[in-house]
Amino acid sequence: MDKGGSMGSRWFVAIVVLSLAMAASASEASDVSFDFRDAVGGFGIGKESFDRPVDVVRDREENIYVVDQGNNRIQVLDRRGRFVREWGGRGFGPGFFDGPNAIAFDRSGSSLYVADTGNHRIQKFDLQGKLQKSLGRLGSGDGDFNKPTDIVVDRNGFLYVADSGNNRVQKFDSSGKFVQSWGKFSRRKGVELNNPVSVAYSEEGFGQIFVLNSTECRVQKFDIDGNLVKEWPMHRKGEGALCGPSRIRIEPRKYTVYIADTENDRVILFDKEGEPLGALAEGKVRFRKPSGVFVDVSFGEEVVVADTGNNLIQKFRRAR
């Protein structure tokens, strides 16, 4: 009986160890890893240099469009980091900027929206920098803005704006006509927004809009009509992380969520349900206040980071 009991105990221990090993293996498999590819930039006011790059996108030819906030311009570099063109400059007139904060392609990829935060408007340009349209002015009414900080376009061409100063998200059609807004003064639990600094779009289902609430360090997931679907905290309880995120972006195939966790000098990842997947590995240098993220699946899963504090654009490729 003792021998059988001892054998049973050994089997029990073996099963527990095997279960733990399988759990660890599954956990490791869920993690993602990236290889560093390249970094371009450095501080300056001239070509191929930046003063606080805060957002970035890349076109089909791998040209990179950088929101060079401190220089109040959009600077375009080719795939090797060489200067192509720029536009903007500090000002209040059409085509000028006051602290631009975000950039996004329209549905066709032939035009760009820029969140001209200090001028309380969204400006639309062709890829050469020619102004096509301007939306908004300072205010709190439909179609007005108070420090818009981010923009995203869905598969039907609708534009969503993080109207941070008005604590809401506004939705416009492709012609720039106001459609709806949500978040401001809402009495429904979990729907009121508190300093929404960034918005992202996922094609999951009929479409999902992710909103990053800076003050609360929370991600809120809405359908395209503004109905809350899910929410989760950016930081785990007891982690001791600072609150101060600036950007959220979604990888379009697996719906991996990327967040520029600016105050903690890192880019963190979640799955679409809010389960943590780790952090983007350091590149050429350790991240310093990263503010922008662009995920490109045209050449495998590649990630471009606007490393604001280092005045660099760093590029990575997913290894697994």
Side-chain angles (χ1 to χ4, degrees):
M1 179 69 70
D2 290 341
K3 185 176 180 181
S6 176
M7 182 176 292
S9 298
R10 287 197 298 271
W11 273 107
F12 174 77
V13 170
I15 290 170
V16 170
V17 170
L18 179 60
S19 299
L20 289 173
M22 290 174 66
S25 175
S27 174
E28 289 175 2
S30 68
D31 289 339
V32 293
S33 63
F34 291 81
D35 296 326
F36 170 71
R37 291 193 61 208
D38 193 14
V40 296
F43 177 74
I45 61 174
K47 298 176 181 179
E48 301 167 16
S49 57
F50 309 109
D51 180 4
R52 300 195 313 277
V54 293
D55 202 13
V56 60
V57 292
R58 188 165 71 175
D59 67 18
R60 297 183 184 98
E61 283 71 48
E62 296 188 70
N63 295 311
I64 294 175
Y65 299 74
V66 182
V67 180
D68 188 7
Q69 186 180 74
N71 288 316
N72 285 289
R73 65 183 175 183
I74 305 300
Q75 188 174 176
V76 186
L77 307 177
D78 69 14
R79 62 192 300 268
R80 292 184 174 84
R82 297 174 300 194
F83 177 84
V84 176
R85 59 184 167 272
E86 65 178 45
W87 69 85
R90 183 175 177 81
F92 309 104
F96 290 91
F97 302 116
D98 182 14
N101 204 68
I103 190 168
F105 286 110
D106 70 355
R107 183 180 58 172
S108 69
S110 61
S111 298
L112 291 159
Y113 291 100
V114 178
D116 187 10
T117 306
N119 284 323
H120 311 287
R121 65 188 177 190
I122 304 298
Q123 297 196 75
K124 185 180 182 182
F125 301 87
D126 67 18
L127 300 189
Q128 302 302 312
K130 181 181 178 181
L131 181 66
Q132 297 178 326
K133 187 180 299 183
S134 182
L135 304 176
R137 61 181 181 181
L138 178 60
S140 57
D142 293 347
D144 296 333
F145 301 114
N146 184 356
K147 291 184 168 53
T149 51
D150 201 13
I151 41 184
V152 72
V153 178
D154 72 13
R155 62 187 168 204
N156 295 312
F158 287 98
L159 175 70
Y160 302 80
V161 180
D163 188 9
S164 61
N166 284 319
N167 293 307
R168 64 183 178 182
V169 171
Q170 293 201 71
K171 180 179 179 180
F172 301 84
D173 67 18
S174 58
S175 69
K177 182 181 178 182
F178 172 82
V179 176
Q180 70 173 121
S181 67
W182 70 84
K184 186 178 182 181
F185 304 135
S186 175
R187 295 182 182 278
R188 290 179 294 165
K189 183 179 179 182
V191 182
E192 186 169 3
L193 299 176
N194 189 356
N195 191 24
V197 293
S198 187
V199 286
Y201 171 70
S202 163
E203 291 198 346
E204 176 191 358
F206 292 104
Q208 308 286 335
I209 301 298
F210 290 72
V211 181
L212 193 55
N213 278 338
S214 177
T215 306
E216 300 169 349
C217 269
R218 294 189 71 78
V219 177
Q220 292 185 309
K221 183 178 177 181
F222 298 87
D223 66 22
I224 56 175
D225 296 316
N227 299 303
L228 184 66
V229 176
K230 189 178 182 65
E231 63 179 327
W232 70 82
M234 270 181 55
H235 304 136
R236 289 179 171 178
K237 205 169 191 180
E239 184 182 359
L242 299 173
C243 186
S246 63
R247 198 79 60 195
I248 184 168
R249 293 291 181 258
I250 313 297
E251 186 274 325
R253 295 179 302 187
K254 300 176 183 176
Y255 309 123
T256 304
V257 180
Y258 291 75
I259 297 177
D261 189 10
T262 306
E263 290 305 309
N264 294 296
D265 300 317
R266 63 186 182 176
V267 175
I268 55 177
L269 287 77
F270 298 86
D271 70 15
K272 65 180 181 179
E273 300 303 325
E275 289 300 314
L277 296 176
L280 194 65
E282 302 295 347
K284 180 179 180 180
V285 296
R286 184 183 178 193
F287 289 134
R288 187 170 166 229
K289 309 288 185 196
S291 297
V293 180
F294 180 75
V295 187
D296 191 348
V297 294
S298 303
F299 312 94
E301 189 171 336
E302 296 191 348
V303 182
V304 186
V305 178
D307 187 5
T308 308
N310 286 317
N311 293 295
L312 292 174
I313 301 300
Q314 300 207 54
K315 294 181 282 186
F316 303 82
R317 175 172 288 168
R318 184 165 178 167
R320 69 173 186 184

